[in-house]
Amino acid sequence: MRVIAFFLVGLTVHVVFFLSIFDIYFTSPLVHGMTPQATSLTPPASRLVLIVADGLRADSLFTLLPNRSTRAPYLRTIIEQSGTWGVSHTRVPTESRPGHVALIAGFYEDVSAVAKGWKENPVEFDSVFNESRHTWCWGSPDILPMFAKGASGDHVYTHTYPAEEEDFASTDASRLDSWVFTQVKSFFLSAKTNSSLKASVLQDKNVFFLHLLGIDTNGHAHRPMSQEYLDNIELVDAGVSELVSVIEDFFDHDGRTAYVFTSDHGMTDWGSHGAGHPSETLTPLVVWGAGVLNAQKVTEPQLYKDGYLQDWNLEHLRRVDVNQADIAPLMASLIGVPFPVNSVGVLPLLYLNNSEQFKAESVYANAVQVLEQFKVKMTQKKETTLPFLFTPYQQLTESKQAELTHKARILMQLEKYEDAISLCQSLITTALEGLVYYHTYDRFFLGCSVVLGFMGWTSYVVLVILKTHASLNLHPDLLKQNPSHTLVRLCVCVAVVITIFLLIQKSPMTYYIYCLLPVPVWYSVLKESNTLIDLIRSAPSLPLWKCFGYFVLVAFGIELLVVSFFHRAMLTVGLVALSLWPMLSGLFGKDKFHSLSWFLGCLCLAAFPLMPVVGREPNIHLVMCAGLLALFTSACYLWSSQRRMPLHLSDRQQFVAQMLHVAVCAYVPSLTHSSLQQKQGLPLLNQIVSWTTLMSSILVPLLSSTRLFHRLLSIFLSLTATYLLLSTGSEALFPPVLAWLMFVWINIEQEAMIAQGVSGRRELSTIDFSSNIDISKIRQLKLDDIRRSYFFVFFIITAFFGTGNIASINSFDPASVYCFLTVFNPFIMGGLMMWKVIIPFIIVMCTFETIQVATQLSSRSLFLLVLVISDLMALHFFFLVQDYGSWLDIGTSISHYVIVMSMTIFLMVLSVVTRALTSQRIILWRRKKMHFP
């Protein structure tokens, strides 16, 4: 019962630490209650057409063909003659929903949206669509509904195709874009005869939004360098040309239509997006029509040093780069609607063809709109902070706000528009910095609380290990000693003071959890202080130099694992070092066969972290080779075990059936990819085999014998079958190589036990997972068990980063799930990829469970050591979390902490699942009792 209570408490503590990062770093930046701001001057355009080519890279549009022609002749003509162009710089994560929110609402997506698959609004926000008189949208069902749902009133109209059309196996995904262009032309045709619709369309401040998903879908399915992707760009260019002609004809060429053509994100060469590679963050922006400057020829070299101007042959035309969020205020300014109240975009004046007065008034409205957000944020923080603790943002106090806005207004009245524009742009920059200041105001306070809790929990686990699992001679009086009343009163007083402090500050409920959690944790530590006293007394009898050596090695090992999160090649270094362990420990002389196998296994596994995570071309032949390798190793094991101990007929039949199943699963990816290349779609039989394999992968091992190696082999074959279906290349070889090394690890640990002088060693072939553990034979922890725990953590990290991981969204290759589905579904696809990551975890976890049984340790003792090591890593990453530098650096630092914390929580849960997977058995029919020798 105490073990279950400890497990639940540990799980709760880690869940709190895990969730804390979301309160500290992932809270929504949005505030409400601001007044919309717009200029009172007449706007240059009556309507705006926004065209977003989803997944279009800047270089794919701007680069000329080898014969100096272009694949987008219409847009190239606009760039060279009648419009202004540039590069729109997106932010991480480069996904469709965050990109569209930045374009249309002017702020960078609240990261809490990731929990909703970037589909629903986690919080309500304003947008250009919401501020417009009417907005008509055509395109994907994944993007359009969120803006209609977030709009006030019913003036945003959406027209979408069925979600099933977003099929990566489609014969031609460009038909999605053709559908949009056809629908828009039909809309304007029907508006000519429908008087009420025509009246609405002819009003001012209207927006027409075309979301073109074909380029993105073709990029995922065929890669951005494919002919399908490039042909889709030509189709879009022709469609835009025809669309402009239809719209201009409808409005009698009144010259009051503005056009914006851009993309939400780019795409890597291997057909993925989500991270911060330039191919993902650099998107094209072309603006033309009413209120927009014509192409500006330049003779002087431009300031951009990225070399793209020469590559695109556009160095003679002025390039105007923007941040993606700047496009929202640009669109609002062109049609005269208020800037979205949550926008953090800065109006790019170099796109506007208007008077200096209009530009100054527009930038002033932009500055006041950002300042409104700053005021609301400052007021909120001031109301929830004690007056003597509140530190205002010194560069923008209330008096400075009034002074700067007044000065800007005076400059405009004196017609000093350039000075007014410069002052307003400076005010916007300062206000945005102030917004960040107040948004992160409580970060240090919450961080200190979490670190205190972390240190307390880790200290408590160490004390529990020393008290209950280490061979310390505890003094009888110290064991019976109860905590003093003074300690209890002190902890209660501290808790009361913290609670009153948080009540006065009107803090959120989560703050109470983060700040009060360290109190009971440290109470538990101080209550066990007698164990520390006993350790100090026992110090003279301990092998201090050996202890110090282990401490240094583990500390160095933990640092190596931390560095491996940034540089996967460090895992290779670690595996090469581990390969030498039998030689350095003297085991090589006692068991040469397993020592050499360990050496070769480590070196083979060391090759995987050196391979690219993404960007590799699919190689289905390697998947088939991995299937053959799994079958060969399984056959070798069955042949050798048959000589030692005969298999029961039913077990032999199950293993043969599983091996045939692996052979089928090794061939299914080849059939699937062949069918998709011929554009015949996903074969139904392949889909049935894949989903059946997935659903049965956990149940099938439960039918096998609970004898140690029999159960492990069944688990390996079952999981390998699923992994093969989710593989596209060399990563398919990873589970067989990992399983081989884990098999050797189990055997070599037996020799390590003999070297330690542990008595009562059991033969591995006689161990049954389902047997009741003989409590009298369970031993206490020794120093060498720290090494076992570290090996486990190292192999878990290797399992995670060995072939790829979920640390970067960019690691996702849709081709991995083509055996299961080809229609875009982020949750199912994400779930399948998560299962692919988990499979190596389960192989390592089952090995660890086996070693605990074989080395006669209680499952709790070794796991506590693992908990300490992983918590030290998590604490390390907590200190590495940063809120400065590039967005990629910020996101990476946070994701590393989230990964380690998730891993710790996940291992706690997975340890329970693994125990059931190894020890439980489902018997479908009665069988004769078999006596083993």
Side-chain angles (χ1 to χ4, degrees):
M1 193 66 190
R2 288 181 64 186
V3 174
I4 296 172
F6 182 86
F7 175 83
L8 293 175
V9 170
L11 191 62
T12 304
V13 168
H14 283 85
V15 167
V16 170
F17 291 156
F18 173 74
L19 294 177
S20 69
I21 204 73
F22 293 94
D23 255 337
I24 297 173
Y25 291 95
F26 282 7
T27 50
S28 174
L30 301 190
V31 289
H32 300 283
M34 293 80 68
T35 305
Q37 303 292 323
T39 177
S40 57
L41 301 178
T42 304
S46 297
R47 67 202 70 89
L48 177 100
V49 180
L50 171 62
I51 305 162
V52 177
D54 201 307
L56 176 60
R57 294 160 47 144
D59 60 343
S60 297
L61 180 70
F62 295 139
T63 304
L64 295 176
L65 297 170
N67 61 4
R68 309 304 289 171
S69 64
T70 173
R71 62 177 59 91
Y74 179 76
L75 289 170
R76 186 77 180 196
T77 304
I78 295 292
I79 291 168
E80 293 179 345
Q81 296 177 10
S82 56
T84 301
W85 76 283
V87 172
S88 169
H89 296 262
T90 70
R91 283 190 182 178
V92 177
T94 45
E95 297 289 343
S96 290
R97 179 196 157 106
H100 281 88
V101 169
L103 286 169
I104 299 163
F107 72 91
Y108 297 103
E109 179 66 288
D110 171 20
V111 286
S112 62
V114 73
K116 302 204 173 189
W118 304 116
K119 282 192 175 183
E120 296 181 27
N121 302 343
V123 288
E124 294 304 318
F125 58 84
D126 193 19
S127 69
V128 173
F129 293 177
N130 188 44
E131 296 292 351
S132 68
R133 194 179 304 279
H134 299 286
T135 295
W136 288 274
C137 312
W138 297 268
S140 166
D142 293 329
I143 298 299
L144 306 191
M146 69 178 175
F147 292 104
K149 183 181 175 184
S152 56
D154 56 354
H155 63 282
V156 178
Y157 313 102
T158 61
H159 307 273
T160 63
Y161 39 75
E164 292 74 26
E165 293 293 315
E166 299 175 15
D167 190 347
F168 293 134
S170 165
T171 52
D172 185 10
S174 64
R175 73 181 193 283
L176 300 176
D177 300 341
S178 299
W179 182 93
V180 171
F181 287 125
T182 302
Q183 291 292 315
V184 177
K185 285 184 280 186
S186 300
F187 170 81
F188 281 105
L189 194 64
S190 63
K192 289 181 179 179
T193 56
N194 185 327
S195 57
S196 61
L197 177 59
K198 186 174 183 179
S200 297
V201 172
L202 288 174
Q203 289 180 301
D204 63 351
K205 300 180 179 171
N206 283 342
V207 177
F208 303 94
F209 171 43
L210 285 72
H211 176 239
L212 308 174
L213 188 63
I215 292 175
D216 183 74
T217 307
N218 270 322
H220 283 309
H222 306 291
R223 308 292 188 263
M225 301 305 168
S226 66
Q227 198 57 47
E228 289 86 352
Y229 184 91
L230 300 176
D231 288 346
N232 205 152
I233 296 174
E234 292 183 15
L235 181 144
V236 166
D237 181 74
V240 171
S241 175
E242 194 176 345
L243 170 76
V244 171
S245 177
V246 169
I247 291 174
E248 292 300 325
D249 287 344
F250 183 88
F251 293 106
D252 296 324
H253 298 271
D254 64 355
R256 298 280 297 169
T257 308
Y259 299 89
V260 176
F261 179 89
T262 187
S263 175
D264 54 347
H265 56 76
M267 187 173 286
T268 60
D269 291 344
W270 47 91
S272 68
H273 53 83
H277 191 273
S279 62
E280 299 165 90
T281 59
L282 302 183
T283 58
L285 176 62
V286 184
V287 188
W288 71 100
V292 181
L293 268 178
N294 290 336
Q296 301 293 302
K297 294 191 182 297
V298 293
T299 53
E300 297 293 323
Q302 300 189 57
L303 297 174
Y304 303 102
K305 303 295 183 185
D306 49 25
Y308 292 125
L309 283 168
Q310 291 74 27
D311 295 344
W312 300 337
N313 199 31
L314 289 169
E315 63 267 29
H316 62 291
L317 295 170
R318 184 171 68 178
R319 167 182 164 186
V320 184
D321 283 14
V322 300
N323 290 320
Q324 195 172 45
D326 299 340
I327 296 173
L330 172 63
M331 295 190 295
S333 175
L334 286 171
I335 57 174
V337 300
F339 295 104
V341 294
N342 301 117
S343 171
V344 295
V346 181
L347 180 63
L349 294 176
L350 293 177
Y351 278 85
L352 297 181
N353 181 21
N354 218 310
S355 65
E356 291 300 308
Q357 181 188 3
F358 181 85
K359 292 178 182 178
E361 288 283 357
S362 298
V363 175
Y364 177 77
N366 190 186
V368 173
Q369 169 259 322
V370 175
L371 194 59
E372 283 275 317
Q373 294 182 72
F374 174 82
K375 288 178 179 177
V376 172
K377 199 81 173 175
M378 183 181 72
T379 304
Q380 286 180 353
K381 193 51 60 184
K382 200 171 183 179
E383 288 174 352
T384 58
T385 308
L386 292 170
F388 63 90
L389 291 176
F390 180 71
T391 308
Y393 185 61
Q394 296 300 327
Q395 294 181 331
L396 206 56
T397 57
E398 292 182 27
S399 59
K400 285 184 180 178
Q401 294 171 34
E403 177 192 335
L404 291 170
T405 51
H406 179 69
K407 185 178 178 182
R409 181 52 67 188
I410 294 294
L411 286 170
M412 284 190 287
Q413 289 172 359
L414 295 172
E415 297 186 359
K416 295 182 178 180
Y417 297 123
E418 287 190 12
D419 292 340
I421 288 170
S422 178
L423 179 64
C424 289
Q425 288 176 334
S426 174
L427 178 58
I428 290 171
T429 303
T430 308
L432 289 174
E433 290 171 354
L435 272 173
V436 174
Y437 172 80
Y438 285 119
H439 184 60
T440 59
Y441 193 84
D442 292 330
R443 191 168 289 177
F444 179 75
F445 168 66
L446 291 175
C448 288
S449 298
V450 172
V451 168
L452 270 174
F454 242 126
M455 293 172 65
W457 169 256
T458 308
S459 303
Y460 177 66
V461 174
V462 170
L463 288 173
V464 168
I465 292 170
L466 291 172
K467 183 178 179 181
T468 59
H469 297 285
S471 306
L472 290 180
N473 298 317
L474 296 173
H475 198 277
D477 294 339
L478 296 177
L479 281 172
K480 296 175 184 176
Q481 201 167 347
N482 294 318
S484 68
H485 295 296
T486 308
L487 180 60
V488 176
R489 291 194 193 101
L490 177 64
C491 291
V492 170
C493 289
V494 170
V496 169
V497 169
I498 292 171
T499 305
I500 293 171
F501 174 74
L502 294 174
L503 278 171
I504 294 171
Q505 295 216 129
K506 300 176 185 175
S507 300
M509 186 58 66
T510 50
Y511 282 31
Y512 289 84
I513 298 171
Y514 305 141
C515 296
L516 290 173
L517 182 63
V519 177
V521 170
W522 277 104
Y523 167 75
S524 302
V525 172
L526 296 173
K527 189 178 72 172
E528 300 293 343
S529 58
N530 295 326
T531 306
L532 271 179
I533 296 169
D534 194 69
L535 177 64
I536 294 167
R537 288 178 177 175
S538 305
S541 61
L542 296 174
L544 294 179
W545 280 109
K546 194 175 180 181
C547 293
F548 179 74
Y550 265 96
F551 174 78
V552 170
L553 284 173
V554 170
F556 176 77
I558 290 173
E559 286 304 307
L560 185 140
L561 289 177
V562 169
V563 174
S564 72
F565 274 67
F566 300 94
H567 307 285
R568 290 171 64 236
M570 291 307 296
L571 290 174
T572 299
V573 174
L575 283 164
V576 170
L578 288 189
S579 70
L580 302 175
W581 165 58
M583 291 73 165
L584 298 175
S585 62
L587 291 174
F588 181 76
K590 298 174 182 176
D591 190 347
K592 287 186 173 60
F593 175 75
H594 285 122
S595 295
L596 283 172
S597 299
W598 170 269
F599 178 76
L600 293 173
C602 285
L603 293 184
C604 289
L605 201 64
F608 287 95
L610 298 177
M611 296 177 185
V613 177
V614 287
R616 53 182 176 233
E617 286 297 314
N619 190 334
I620 303 302
H621 295 300
L622 285 177
V623 178
M624 297 180 73
C625 289
L628 291 173
L629 179 62
L631 291 174
F632 175 73
T633 52
S634 302
C636 288
Y637 167 72
L638 287 175
W639 178 75
S640 62
S641 66
Q642 184 73 13
R643 295 174 60 192
R644 291 196 309 270
M645 184 173 55
L647 277 170
H648 193 279
L649 177 62
S650 60
D651 290 327
R652 192 158 56 244
Q653 289 172 343
Q654 180 177 339
F655 286 136
V656 170
Q658 283 191 265
M659 289 169 71
L660 288 172
H661 186 212
V662 168
V664 171
C665 290
Y667 190 56
V668 165
S670 177
L671 286 176
T672 301
H673 284 261
S674 174
S675 177
L676 295 182
Q677 282 179 349
Q678 296 170 22
K679 298 190 176 177
Q680 295 176 353
L682 172 59
L684 179 61
L685 181 61
N686 293 13
Q687 202 170 10
I688 291 170
V689 169
S690 300
W691 283 107
T692 305
T693 302
L694 177 70
M695 299 302 177
S696 63
S697 57
I698 290 295
L699 294 176
V700 170
L702 299 178
L703 300 173
S704 67
S705 165
T706 51
R707 288 277 167 176
L708 191 144
F709 286 124
H710 295 173
R711 176 55 62 93
L712 292 180
L713 178 62
S714 183
I715 292 170
F716 165 67
L717 288 171
S718 184
L719 295 179
T720 299
T722 309
Y723 200 91
L724 290 171
L725 294 170
L726 290 166
S727 300
T728 60
S730 58
E731 80 273 20
L733 295 164
F734 186 70
V737 174
L738 179 67
W740 168 33
L741 184 59
M742 294 297 98
F743 173 79
V744 177
W745 186 26
I746 293 168
N747 282 278
I748 209 166
E749 284 292 356
Q750 287 290 94
E751 293 302 324
M753 280 184 65
I754 296 172
Q756 290 173 23
V758 177
S759 58
R761 184 179 72 96
R762 297 168 66 190
E763 198 61 45
L764 288 173
S765 58
T766 65
I767 296 175
D768 194 316
F769 281 119
S770 62
S771 300
N772 292 325
I773 298 169
D774 187 350
I775 298 174
S776 64
K777 292 184 178 178
I778 290 179
R779 63 181 179 82
Q780 295 283 54
L781 285 172
K782 296 182 180 292
L783 277 175
D784 201 44
D785 293 317
I786 298 174
R787 190 258 314 152
R788 289 188 179 95
S789 300
Y790 178 76
F791 276 15
F792 169 69
V793 175
F794 185 92
F795 286 130
I796 282 288
I797 301 295
T798 304
F800 189 71
F801 285 102
T803 59
N805 59 83
I806 54 170
S808 166
I809 304 168
N810 200 26
S811 301
F812 172 64
D813 181 2
S816 298
V817 300
Y818 283 173
C819 290
F820 294 85
L821 78 165
T822 53
V823 176
F824 179 68
N825 186 313
F827 282 113
I828 294 179
M829 288 180 166
L832 288 169
M833 293 308 297
M834 183 69 78
W835 182 240
K836 184 179 178 181
V837 172
I838 289 172
I839 285 173
F841 271 26
I842 296 177
I843 292 173
V844 177
M845 282 295 294
C846 289
T847 304
F848 192 59
E849 176 72 18
T850 305
I851 287 172
Q852 288 179 126
V853 172
T855 56
Q856 301 167 11
L857 276 170
S858 72
S859 57
R860 184 186 176 201
S861 57
L862 267 186
F863 196 79
L864 288 176
L865 287 173
V866 170
L867 206 57
V868 171
I869 294 170
S870 56
D871 281 349
L872 288 173
M873 285 178 63
L875 188 59
H876 196 125
F877 281 117
F878 188 85
F879 286 119
L880 289 176
V881 169
Q882 62 186 55
D883 58 350
Y884 55 87
S886 73
W887 280 92
L888 181 61
D889 293 337
I890 295 168
T892 302
S893 68
I894 293 172
S895 70
H896 286 164
Y897 173 76
V898 171
I899 287 168
V900 174
M901 285 307 301
S902 304
M903 198 179 291
T904 306
I905 296 167
F906 178 68
L907 289 180
M908 284 180 153
V909 177
L910 196 60
S911 64
V912 178
V913 175
T914 306
R915 183 157 313 149
L917 189 61
T918 53
S919 61
Q920 299 302 311
R921 187 175 189 182
I922 299 172
I923 300 176
L924 298 179
W925 56 84
R926 289 271 175 200
R927 63 182 70 191
K928 291 181 181 179
K929 198 169 185 180
M930 184 171 180
H931 297 279
F932 292 94

